[in-house]
Amino acid sequence: QVQLVESGGGLVQPGGSLRLSCAASGSIFTIYTMGWYRQAPGNQRDLVATIISGGNINYADSVKGRFTISRDNAKNTVYLQMNSLKHEDTAVYYCYAELSINRHRAREGYWGQGTQVTVSS
């Protein structure tokens, strides 16, 4: 069984910063992609940022220059440093990992339980 556990959400004022963490644990052979998505009330779940095992990074246009994704492969952990936060960044942030549990199994996607980020004065 694979688990993704997020931490680091909370309430922050506009212009402030937060750092999210997500640790993957369980029966993991290889993690290919890790990333963050977010979902605001009434909206679909949207990409925030992803990072693949080779280091390539992709950001949503709305967070470029403000958010930084990073990854510690030894710890199976992905981070999201969020700076210059805006009201519109308020959402539940979900961790995502694409991984295989052994060399014979195809890649599968896993989600964390989500962590609330609220930007408000």
Side-chain angles (χ1 to χ4, degrees), residues 10 13 15 22 42 46 58-59 68 74 78 82 90 99 107 117 119:
Q13 292 186 342
C22 171
D46 292 324
N58 182 44
Y59 291 105
T68 302
V78 63
M82 304 185 293
T90 295
L99 58 87
R107 304 178 186 190
V117 172
V119 184

Side-chain angles (χ1 to χ4, degrees), residues 44-106:
Q44 64 182 17
R45 191 174 297 186
D46 292 324
L47 169 74
V48 176
T50 58
I51 180 169
I52 68 172
S53 57
N56 285 353
I57 291 173
N58 182 44
Y59 291 105
D61 287 342
S62 59
V63 307
K64 284 180 181 177
R66 300 188 299 122
F67 291 10
T68 302
I69 189 170
S70 60
R71 177 172 170 173
D72 186 334
N73 291 326
K75 296 181 179 180
N76 288 340
T77 299
V78 63
Y79 306 95
L80 186 68
Q81 178 66 42
M82 304 185 293
N83 298 330
S84 303
L85 282 160
K86 305 176 182 180
H87 288 110
E88 50 264 43
D89 294 319
T90 295
V92 177
Y93 284 69
Y94 294 92
C95 176
Y96 173 80
E98 183 187 35
L99 58 87
S100 58
I101 61 173
N102 62 55
R103 66 175 69 247
H104 303 296
R105 289 284 296 270

